[in-house]
Amino acid sequence: MGGTRGADCADRADGASVEEQGLRQRFRHGLVIGKFYPVHAGHLNLVRTALAQCEHVTVQVLWSSQESIPADLRAQWLRDELPGAHVVTGLDDAPVDYESHDAWQAHVQVMKDLLDAGCVPGCSVSAPVDAVFTSDVYGAEMARRFDAEWVQVDPGRAAVTVSGSAVRADPGAHWWALPPAVRAWFARRVVVVGAESTGTTTLAEALQAHYGLPAVPEFGREWSEVRPGGLETPWHTAEFDLIAREQSRMEDHAAATTPLPLVVCDTDAFATTLWHERYMGTPSPSVQELAASRVPDLYLLTGDEIPFVQDGLRDGEHIRHGMQQRFREELAAQEDGGAPWVELRGTRAERLAEAVRLVDALVAVPRWVAPPMDQQGQEVGAPLPDPTAPAPAGSDRGV
């Protein structure tokens, strides 16, 4: 049995060899299983405890077809936080019934099949599982089926008071327990767009200040100030690819570090597609592809009814209304699955008040996550009776 972490599976991230670890660690091969739906601090505590006590730890992300967060994404979240663990994924659509031997057998078979798949070439770990790590009491039965020792970590979640169901119901209330990449996934994303001199930066900065959010400034403006040759040099498609990628990176960084499930951005890759069209005359397939993969939760389009202000970088008022119309057309033309959008007009205060109303309504509803499979039966803190074992003398089992 083993895993697929890589050719260095036999050695831990702390640099100690398997032989050196054996002098101080209780187990050869620990197993941690779960949905990790999503990954949170309780999971990390569980796996880190296993890593501290085992030479090798396999973490299995067991997912069902009805779940909406991709299993590979959950596995990557775990790998990012726990580089010493070997993380694999497996489809497990068997019913969840803690009192059913058939259900137990089906689930454990999935686990054993994943273990039997072995490590990638070069990994020498082949020890059977000799320790099962869980917080919940089903670990007793699971350990029996692996002929392993059960190690219960943080019973009742007394030390790390969080659960996957609690996070799914209200991620904001458990923001402290989410790793950066998980925060980035749950964060609601609002993007302020518009033609030149329509107040996009003013509104974006006002919203960021109102909610106490990290800044996501317009990288295209920064690039315009430092690009080789200045504004008089012809633009190149590669520059727009650079702008779109860097703008997206800044957005993702803010989403991973925001103190609440919200990020507000001054423009995005979608807006870059229109600026590429403006300067190059045609759309950019690469920027369009990037934009299509990053649909936000809400677009706020700032109106072009306010006076134009030339700051030395803008093209001029003669193109402003035409560009504004292109924003309206492209926002309206989004296919199913596109982001809702609202055009904001009025004074700064009026725009901000309406934007806050819209954003408050957005963040009041957590990002949707499909419910996991229903669980049946009562978890017990001891192994179930073995139905294949001979019945005790005088019993009427099986009658």
Side-chain angles (χ1 to χ4, degrees):
M1 297 181 187
T4 59
R5 199 189 102 212
D8 61 342
C9 293
D11 293 318
R12 286 281 300 281
D14 58 9
S17 68
V18 169
E19 292 75 13
E20 292 170 332
Q21 295 162 39
L23 298 176
R24 65 179 187 267
Q25 292 179 314
R26 297 171 57 192
F27 307 107
R28 286 291 311 279
H29 189 175
L31 176 63
V32 180
I33 64 101
K35 296 187 296 291
F36 304 99
Y37 191 57
V39 174
H40 57 65
H43 296 135
L44 302 183
N45 179 55
L46 177 64
V47 178
R48 285 171 180 148
T49 300
L51 287 168
Q53 298 187 34
C54 303
E55 297 171 12
H56 182 80
V57 174
T58 296
V59 180
Q60 296 183 347
V61 179
L62 303 180
W63 58 281
S64 73
S65 301
Q66 71 182 58
E67 294 166 357
S68 56
I69 304 177
D72 287 343
L73 178 60
R74 289 177 255 170
Q76 190 57 54
W77 289 341
L78 288 165
R79 294 185 188 108
D80 289 345
E81 296 294 321
L82 304 160
H86 158 53
V87 183
V88 295
T89 65
L91 175 62
D92 185 0
D93 275 332
V96 180
D97 186 343
Y98 293 106
E99 298 177 5
S100 167
H101 287 282
D102 289 342
W104 266 105
Q105 184 173 352
H107 291 297
V108 171
Q109 189 59 55
V110 172
M111 302 174 203
K112 290 184 176 180
D113 287 346
L114 288 173
L115 291 166
D116 287 341
C119 289
V120 296
C123 177
S124 62
V125 174
S126 59
V129 168
D130 58 352
V132 168
F133 291 77
T134 73
S135 175
D136 296 323
V137 295
Y138 70 77
E141 173 64 15
M142 182 174 158
R144 182 185 74 78
R145 290 175 178 265
F146 278 93
D147 193 23
E149 183 173 337
W150 175 38
V151 181
Q152 189 175 24
V153 180
D154 191 16
R157 299 182 177 87
V160 186
T161 55
V162 66
S163 67
S165 59
V167 171
R168 292 192 298 273
D170 190 352
H174 303 87
W175 207 241
W176 61 269
L178 303 183
V182 182
R183 290 185 177 190
W185 190 88
F186 273 101
R188 293 292 205 169
R189 303 191 183 207
V190 176
V191 180
V192 185
V193 294
E196 293 179 327
S197 191
T198 59
T200 54
T201 297
T202 298
L203 180 58
E205 291 179 348
L207 284 170
Q208 291 159 0
H210 176 82
Y211 291 104
L213 304 176
V216 187
E218 180 187 2
F219 178 71
R221 182 180 180 84
E222 297 178 17
W223 178 251
S224 296
E225 294 174 345
V226 300
R227 66 186 295 264
L231 297 179
E232 302 304 319
T233 301
W235 286 83
H236 299 278
T237 290
E239 293 182 88
F240 293 90
D241 285 311
L242 168 67
I243 291 169
R245 288 195 304 269
E246 179 60 15
Q247 190 70 49
S248 299
R249 186 201 66 77
M250 293 164 60
E251 177 184 325
D252 289 342
H253 177 73
T257 57
T258 180
L260 68 160
L262 174 66
V263 61
V264 173
C265 309
D266 182 357
T267 200
D268 70 347
F270 162 77
T272 306
T273 66
L274 294 181
W275 291 113
H276 182 280
E277 176 185 285
R278 156 78 179 93
Y279 287 105
M280 305 303 298
T282 59
S284 164
S286 57
V287 177
Q288 287 181 323
E289 182 180 7
L290 178 61
S293 71
R294 305 178 56 83
V295 179
D297 296 285
L298 175 66
Y299 277 115
L300 299 176
L301 176 65
T302 47
D304 59 346
E305 83 285 3
I306 61 177
F308 182 87
V309 177
Q310 179 57 264
D311 63 358
L313 292 176
R314 293 167 177 159
D315 286 336
E317 188 170 11
H318 63 286
I319 73 157
R320 182 172 67 146
H321 299 300
M323 280 299 298
Q324 186 76 356
Q325 185 59 28
R326 287 296 295 132
F327 272 101
R328 295 188 189 106
E329 293 169 353
E330 290 302 309
L331 287 169
Q334 294 177 100
E335 298 179 355
D336 291 344
W341 64 283
V342 177
E343 184 165 0
L344 300 178
R345 293 175 172 269
T347 66
R348 291 185 180 184
E350 290 169 339
R351 291 181 176 199
L352 178 60
E354 178 62 8
V356 167
R357 186 188 69 81
L358 293 166
V359 173
D360 282 350
L362 175 68
V363 298
V365 180
R367 187 171 300 285
W368 180 81
V369 179
M373 296 179 68
D374 292 335
Q375 297 184 2
Q376 306 295 327
Q378 179 68 37
E379 291 187 47
V380 294
L384 297 175
D386 186 349
T388 64
S395 75
D396 60 354
R397 192 178 73 190
V399 176

